[in-house]
Amino acid sequence: MSILSMTLRFSGTFSLICGVLAILNPLAATMAAVTLAAVALVLSGGIQLVGAFFETGWRTRAPSLLTAGAALALGLSILFHPVAGAKALTILMGILFLISGLGKLVWSVSHREDSSFWLLLVSGAVSLLLALLVYRHLQGGRSAILGTFLGVELMLNGLALLAVAALGRRVLAEVRG
């Protein structure tokens, strides 16, 4: 078995396990995702802040300082108020699903004659359904749907990685045999 195949199998299994754990405890997964996003914002803001001082002139330094300040402020705000951060990220996710769903529906209508019509139509409808689920969860005061979606995504990625590993083993066996 090749190192690539073993790595893909390990990554796929790990992703599946993490996905199941996220679905079993979606609130913890939501908070982990929010914390990770906040830390990423703080780190990128800090790096941008340091980089701004290597810029020459205020015309190039000012935008870097503004961007760094915004990233730091947002990241620290989310770190100190994770529930509000979870709601904000969930709202953004819902908006993304809504825009994506509407875009795919419009695209499907413009491709009525193509074989991709049904795939685009179903994909757009599912995205709109996900937007509706996000909206309904937010109305109920729950923002753990972010963790649930994260868990589903991790599980799907894990299955995809395992499928790629199996395909790679078959292709390698055919090439050798």
Side-chain angles (χ1 to χ4, degrees), residues 73-162:
L74 183 59
L76 291 172
S77 174
I78 292 172
L79 276 176
F80 291 122
H81 306 287
V83 174
K87 285 193 180 197
L89 288 176
T90 303
I91 290 168
L92 286 174
M93 184 178 66
I95 292 169
L96 175 68
F97 285 140
L98 178 66
I99 293 170
S100 171
L102 291 173
K104 287 185 257 186
L105 288 178
V106 168
W107 201 10
S108 74
V109 170
S110 68
H111 287 84
R112 260 178 278 161
E113 306 302 321
D114 296 343
S115 61
S116 61
F117 168 75
W118 287 105
L119 184 60
L120 287 168
L121 185 70
V122 170
S123 178
V126 168
S127 291
L128 289 177
L129 177 65
L130 292 174
L132 179 66
L133 287 171
V134 169
Y135 174 75
R136 297 216 3 112
H137 270 74
L138 284 173
Q139 294 298 8
R142 301 181 308 248
S143 57
I145 195 163
L146 187 64
T148 303
F149 286 164
L150 177 64
V152 170
E153 179 66 19
L154 283 168
M155 288 175 57
L156 292 173
N157 283 342
L159 291 173
L161 288 168
L162 290 172

Side-chain angles (χ1 to χ4, degrees), residues 3-48:
I3 292 175
L4 178 60
S5 178
M6 284 178 25
T7 303
L8 288 171
R9 287 178 59 192
F10 174 77
S11 299
T13 303
F14 184 72
S15 186
L16 267 173
I17 291 169
C18 288
V20 169
L21 291 174
I23 288 174
L24 290 175
N25 194 347
L27 184 59
T30 297
M31 289 300 120
V34 167
T35 303
L36 183 61
V39 168
L41 282 166
V42 169
L43 286 175
S44 70
I47 292 168
Q48 284 178 312

